[in-house]
Amino acid sequence: MAHRDTPATPAGTSLSESTMETLLGYRLAQASVVTARVFADRIGRVFDLRPVEFTVLMLVVENPGVSARRLADALAVTPPNITMWIDRLVARGLVERERSATDRRAQHIRPTPQGRTLALDAARSAREGEEATLAALSPAERAMLGELLGKVARCRARRG
Amino acid sequence: MAHRDTPATPAGTSLSESTMETLLGYRLAQASVVTARVFADRIGRVFDLRPVEFTVLMLVVENPGVSARRLADALAVTPPNITMWIDRLVARGLVERERSATDRRAQHIRPTPQGRTLALDAARSAREGEEATLAALSPAERAMLGELLGKVARCRARRG
DNA sequence: TATTGTTATACTCTATAACTATA
DNA sequence: TATAGTTATAGAGTATAACAATA
């Protein structure tokens, strides 16, 4: 059988990932493991909000009167799904729907006072969690990283 | 009814996201929309590999003889799931399992020649796709971004 | 007793298709 | 005819629990 008895990568060491590291998608995924954990600890458990749910709420707070369509586009989520997430927020009294007077197909979504408070509390908590977890990065590095990620996000093709 | 007829954010403009932008998790998610699309176009459709599946294959290529456990840890995937992904790669003849001689619970996973070829082809294609899509970023910016993301990934708590 | 890996299973999230009501 | 939103439903992905084999 002449299997080479290659002494596999010893445990305790990190796996080699030199090729993967050249792919931005991989590095994003690895970095997201960290932020997802912070989110779960700081927002998921405490405020009972899923990532998308929190983002929808926060965007509604920052853009009161926004339509479901625009939220779906901003989050790259399909129309049926944005309906579901908004449903959940409405059921919890965090946002409200209102038919548009000018285009009766569309709707305006606005935060309730409770929704606004909860969103801002959650955001603050997440920010604190990230700061604590990412202490290895200087403020300048964090800022630079944010800028670069924003530049990547702006490479998104319209209407994909 | 005295509803305020606030002229909601006009369509055509981007949504305001100043608070969200202060959260690294949000920026990562937004940037991931771009890389996920590149992946789907360049790897998903062409090579019929899902993101996790591709990453498993690539890590096996770069770490021949690695155990399932270490792959699961590296990818933050649960043991049952890594079993499933490896099953799929084995079924396609891209990797092989071998019982460890020293610890008969564990196994060594190695790429087949076809697996190796396919992984490297896919990686090259993904890299080309990212370069084309992220042309708005200079090589220096791309390198800096990769470094910073690596630094974030290294903030991952062990065994969470 | 702890660890590697597997099976069985349920849950979450997302996508597609078909529908309504407006424009 | 096209668009905003909804419903119904299927699929992909992930998680938990229980188990087998080995250490």
Side-chain angles (χ1 to χ4, degrees), chain B:
Chain B
M1 312 295 184
H3 278 301
R4 269 188 302 125
D5 215 59
T6 314
T9 329
T13 339
S14 294
L15 289 183
S16 168
E17 48 182 7
S18 54
T19 300
M20 294 308 293
E21 277 177 349
T22 66
L23 295 177
L24 183 60
Y26 178 70
R27 305 208 90 142
L28 284 175
Q30 290 290 313
S32 296
V33 172
V34 175
T35 55
R37 200 162 288 170
V38 170
F39 184 95
D41 292 344
R42 291 288 190 143
I43 302 189
R45 290 197 179 86
V46 181
F47 297 91
D48 190 27
L49 287 172
R50 312 310 161 85
V52 184
E53 204 174 7
F54 165 67
T55 308
V56 170
L57 175 58
M58 200 67 231
L59 288 179
V60 169
V61 167
E62 290 197 307
N63 302 273
V66 69
S67 71
R69 185 66 165 110
R70 299 200 58 209
L71 287 173
D73 286 348
L75 292 168
V77 159
T78 56
N81 292 326
I82 204 69
T83 294
M84 180 191 68
W85 292 118
I86 295 172
D87 280 347
R88 291 180 56 155
L89 293 173
V90 169
R92 287 175 65 180
L94 301 177
V95 307
E96 286 173 344
R97 280 192 249 237
E98 183 195 352
R99 279 259 157 247
S100 166
T102 57
D103 182 344
R104 297 194 54 73
R105 294 171 303 181
Q107 57 190 228
H108 294 301
I109 304 164
R110 294 185 222 278
T112 64
Q114 307 97 287
R116 200 179 140 72
T117 301
L118 189 129
L120 297 178
D121 286 352
R124 180 156 30 86
S125 178
R127 200 150 41 240
E128 289 168 1
E130 286 189 353
E131 272 163 21
T133 303
L134 303 176
L137 280 78
S138 71
E141 286 176 320
R142 305 249 319 273
M144 170 75 77
L145 178 54
E147 289 300 319
L148 291 171
L149 288 173
K151 213 160 180 176
V152 171
R154 265 173 260 122
C155 294
R156 204 214 288 197
R158 39 265 133 226
R159 283 279 159 196

Side-chain angles (χ1 to χ4, degrees), chain A residues 10-113:
Chain A
T13 338
S14 294
L15 288 184
S16 168
E17 49 183 6
S18 54
T19 299
M20 293 308 293
E21 278 177 349
T22 66
L23 296 176
L24 182 60
Y26 178 70
R27 304 207 91 144
L28 284 175
Q30 291 289 312
S32 296
V33 172
V34 175
T35 55
R37 199 161 291 170
V38 171
F39 183 94
D41 291 343
R42 291 287 190 144
I43 302 190
R45 290 196 180 86
V46 183
F47 298 92
D48 190 28
L49 287 172
R50 313 309 160 85
V52 183
E53 205 174 7
F54 166 66
T55 308
V56 170
L57 175 59
M58 199 68 232
L59 288 178
V60 169
V61 167
E62 290 198 307
N63 303 272
V66 68
S67 71
R69 186 66 165 109
R70 299 200 57 210
L71 287 173
D73 287 348
L75 292 168
V77 159
T78 55
N81 291 326
I82 204 71
T83 294
M84 180 193 67
W85 292 118
I86 295 172
D87 280 347
R88 292 179 55 155
L89 294 174
V90 169
R92 287 176 64 181
L94 300 177
V95 307
E96 287 173 343
R97 281 191 248 238
E98 183 195 351
R99 280 260 156 245
S100 167
T102 56
D103 182 344
R104 298 195 53 74
R105 296 172 302 181
Q107 56 190 226
H108 294 302
I109 304 163
R110 294 186 223 278
T112 63

